[in-house]
Amino acid sequence: MKQPNRTFTHLALAAAVLTSSGTALAQASHFDALANAPFEKDYPTADSTRLLRDELIFQRAAQAYLWALPAINIWAMKEGSEKVFGAGYNVLPVWKERIKASTLVTTPNSDVVYAMGYLDLKKDGPLVVEAPAGVQGILDDFFQRPLVGPTIDGRTWVGDVGLAGPDKGKGGTYVLLPPDYKGEPPKGSVPKGAFIYRSRTYNVFLFWRTFFSDPKDLSKPNAQIAATRIYPLGQKAAAKPMQFPDGNAKPADLLFPRDIRYFEMMSRFIDSEYVDPADLDMRGFLHTIGIEKGKPFSPSPEMRTLLDRAAQTAFKMSKVVMTDMINREPGSKYYPDRQWINVFAGENTSFQSSQTFTNLEQRSGFFTSAYSASPGMVMNMVNAGAKYPVTFRDKDGNFLDGGQSYKLHLPPKIPAKNFWSATVYDGTTASGLDNGQSHPSLNQMDKPVQNADGSTDLYFGPTAPAGKDKNWLRTVPGKGYFVIFRLYSPEQAFFDQTWKPDDMEKLR
């Protein structure tokens, strides 16, 4: 009997799984073929063996892709950053004029000054981070889990640095320990008053944000970041001098791949990392597809084709999760009558809204479109932290269309003690929408024109309505997009919903 072609078998699978137009028969025929794969005298035939083996590999590859999204998202950022700006604990790229759409990275915020660094506790050992005053910072491991810090007055500090961290924005010293570090650091090596944080991975993501009141004068937030010092524990005098390259000077591609390159990147990540016993089952999935720590990843041409299709399928699945399945989760919408989604509905950085399971839909949906998590981002804290309502749809439930024009009405007294902003993002990559404007966002400091009652109308579309340029964000015909409405230090009116934004309304 002629052998079936593996590639076309799985192209058929991808087409069946991703179809959403009611072609139940096509799906059933594929799934029936799997369920009814013939066995003879209790054993699979050669054709059944090939069909089911390839299906197993495809499924494990797709699930491994989704499982690893937090890690590969940030690993891609590390590789992309180091390619452009160089590597080392002393290299801290800063987007000195605010991050622009030319830097490709998931859901950046153009309304603060960013600094993003990548630390290697395997290569350099424990590191000391002197965080400057005024930052709102995060220390995450490379599965984007906040590092666990000290317990002070009954509270265990996790991940946050600066305004939402134990130094409370006054600046502080943090000692970062790798996952296999035993016991406590030697006496006398830890700077006085330092906070000790432990990581579950060798690699650590350092993420600073600083604020400004005048978009035309960013000297203060840049000076704050430039006060950062990072060095190996006990080696401050011999440390490499800090470097603060300008992230906008040479735009970097920090996006994770959507094809076979994802698994190639995953192999490099696995080789570099600590083996966490909690990950052994998922590492078994990786073994099935040819990824194993300490061994080269060298799939055959047929396997490469299969894994490439699995990666493309899994990426599209992650988008379905974000735009459809999360909508169906209890508590996923901020308001039952509106389209705004709460990507941290469980108020938990581990996406464990229940003590009985991890919400993999929320986890996959978030990390296919964003990076970094900390308690300050997810917990409901009045006048502290931040909230990130996001919408993919207009008032009528249709996906936002770059060729259409919309209005977003914001009632008076927007409840953000620090500031608010609205940003448009590419519907596929989740990077800042490359719309030709200096930044793909509008914020409170831009002083958009208010209505007579104190409310604000923002406009989105390919052209600005007459006289509305100051309140307008350009969109791109032929492209979908989504909007994040950020509130830094949200006030009580946001939480009790006495204030809430309208939906994006299509202009007729």
Side-chain angles (χ1 to χ4, degrees):
M1 183 179 293
K2 185 177 180 181
Q3 297 181 0
N5 184 297
R6 289 185 184 182
T7 300
F8 287 108
T9 296
H10 287 85
L11 284 173
L13 169 64
V17 172
L18 293 173
T19 296
S20 60
S21 58
T23 56
L25 182 61
Q27 292 188 14
S29 65
H30 174 76
F31 297 135
D32 286 346
L34 295 172
N36 298 319
F39 277 40
E40 293 179 358
K41 298 180 180 180
D42 299 324
Y43 292 102
T45 65
D47 286 344
S48 294
T49 294
R50 282 188 291 272
L51 176 66
L52 295 172
R53 181 187 60 209
D54 287 358
E55 181 69 23
L56 175 65
I57 293 170
F58 185 92
Q59 290 189 16
R60 289 199 171 170
Q63 292 305 313
Y65 186 106
L66 296 171
W67 166 73
L69 271 170
I72 305 309
N73 186 327
I74 208 76
W75 185 264
M77 292 170 63
K78 169 186 166 73
E79 288 194 352
S81 177
E82 292 179 350
K83 181 179 179 180
V84 174
F85 307 117
Y89 63 79
N90 62 316
V91 178
L92 184 58
V94 184
W95 280 262
K96 299 179 181 181
E97 296 298 324
R98 303 158 55 192
I99 195 166
K100 300 180 180 180
S102 54
T103 295
L104 302 179
V105 66
T106 54
T107 54
N109 183 357
S110 296
D111 302 299
V112 293
V113 174
Y114 265 10
M116 299 191 289
Y118 309 88
L119 312 179
D120 187 341
L121 304 181
K122 177 69 171 178
K123 176 183 177 183
D124 299 311
L127 290 171
V128 178
V129 176
E130 294 182 1
V135 304
Q136 183 155 309
I138 295 174
L139 293 169
D140 277 356
D141 72 17
F142 261 43
F143 266 95
Q144 304 204 48
R145 299 167 298 209
L147 271 58
V148 178
T151 299
I152 302 173
D153 297 331
R155 173 181 176 179
T156 299
W157 291 92
V158 180
D160 285 312
V161 172
L163 298 174
D167 69 85
K168 299 180 181 179
K170 298 177 182 178
T173 301
Y174 294 77
V175 175
L176 314 185
L177 301 181
D180 50 2
Y181 194 92
K182 306 300 181 184
E184 299 296 325
K187 289 184 178 180
S189 66
V190 176
K192 184 179 179 180
F195 307 106
I196 296 178
Y197 275 43
R198 295 179 181 269
S199 176
R200 290 176 61 183
T201 60
Y202 290 131
N203 290 281
V204 170
F205 177 52
L206 181 150
F207 183 23
W208 288 171
R209 292 159 290 179
T210 53
F211 304 103
F212 54 86
S213 56
D214 181 357
K216 298 179 181 179
D217 182 6
L218 302 179
S219 56
K220 181 179 178 180
N222 277 289
Q224 288 172 318
I225 289 175
T228 305
R229 295 293 179 268
I230 305 171
Y231 49 89
L233 182 64
Q235 301 178 43
K236 183 174 182 178
K240 300 174 185 176
M242 292 295 297
Q243 299 177 24
F244 300 98
D246 186 352
N248 286 320
K250 188 177 180 182
D253 184 349
L254 311 182
L255 295 172
F256 61 89
R258 308 192 294 271
D259 53 22
I260 183 63
R261 294 171 299 157
Y262 186 95
F263 295 113
E264 294 169 343
M265 191 172 280
M266 189 187 295
S267 179
R268 296 193 292 273
F269 168 72
I270 290 295
D271 267 345
S272 77
E273 265 304 340
Y274 173 73
V275 179
D276 189 332
D279 294 338
L280 293 184
D281 282 359
M282 284 308 303
R283 284 173 178 259
F285 275 49
L286 301 185
H287 168 76
T288 302
I289 65 175
I291 296 176
E292 186 176 345
K293 185 177 176 69
K295 294 187 177 180
F297 177 55
S298 53
S300 67
E302 277 192 323
M303 177 72 99
R304 287 185 64 84
T305 299
L306 184 55
L307 295 180
D308 185 75
R309 299 300 186 267
Q312 293 181 50
T313 302
F315 175 75
K316 290 182 176 180
M317 285 178 173
S318 75
K319 293 300 180 181
V320 169
V321 166
M322 187 63 178
T323 59
D324 178 76
M325 294 181 71
I326 287 181
N327 279 350
R328 304 171 192 274
E329 290 279 317
S332 64
K333 286 188 175 181
Y334 275 106
Y335 320 101
D337 61 338
R338 304 193 182 185
Q339 302 292 342
W340 295 98
I341 294 172
N342 181 0
V343 295
F344 285 120
E347 295 180 48
N348 184 296
T349 56
S350 298
F351 297 88
Q352 294 168 347
S353 54
S354 164
Q355 295 300 312
T356 61
F357 70 94
T358 299
N359 192 320
L360 295 177
E361 279 67 53
Q362 283 192 353
R363 181 177 178 270
S364 298
F366 181 80
F367 288 116
T368 193
S369 301
Y371 61 87
S372 77
S374 75
M377 297 171 65
V378 307
M379 294 175 63
N380 289 338
M381 300 186 294
V382 179
N383 297 331
K387 287 299 174 185
Y388 306 84
V390 57
T391 186
F392 299 89
R393 301 173 187 270
D394 65 15
K395 182 179 181 179
D396 299 322
N398 300 313
F399 286 123
L400 298 173
D401 180 349
Q404 301 291 332
S405 294
Y406 303 86
K407 181 178 76 172
L408 171 60
H409 179 71
L410 303 170
K413 299 181 180 179
I414 299 171
K417 184 177 180 180
N418 196 339
F419 74 92
W420 61 264
S421 71
T423 309
V424 288
Y425 293 101
D426 187 292
T428 297
T429 67
S431 190
L433 185 67
D434 190 3
N435 63 1
Q437 293 177 313
S438 59
H439 298 92
S441 66
L442 281 170
N443 63 61
Q444 182 174 330
M445 293 77 74
D446 292 323
K447 299 180 180 179
V449 177
Q450 292 185 339
N451 300 319
D453 65 354
S455 66
T456 304
D457 292 328
L458 302 183
Y459 296 88
F460 303 77
T463 57
K468 305 296 184 182
D469 295 68
K470 195 170 177 61
N471 291 38
W472 167 65
L473 281 169
R474 180 185 286 124
T475 60
V476 181
K479 284 198 65 63
Y481 66 96
F482 61 95
V483 177
I484 296 180
F485 184 72
R486 290 177 169 86
L487 298 100
Y488 273 92
S489 300
E491 297 172 322
Q492 184 61 43
F494 174 79
F495 296 104
D496 63 25
Q497 297 191 6
T498 54
W499 183 96
K500 54 186 179 181
D502 284 6
D503 277 324
M504 299 276 287
E505 187 170 0
K506 188 175 178 181
L507 296 177
R508 307 299 177 184

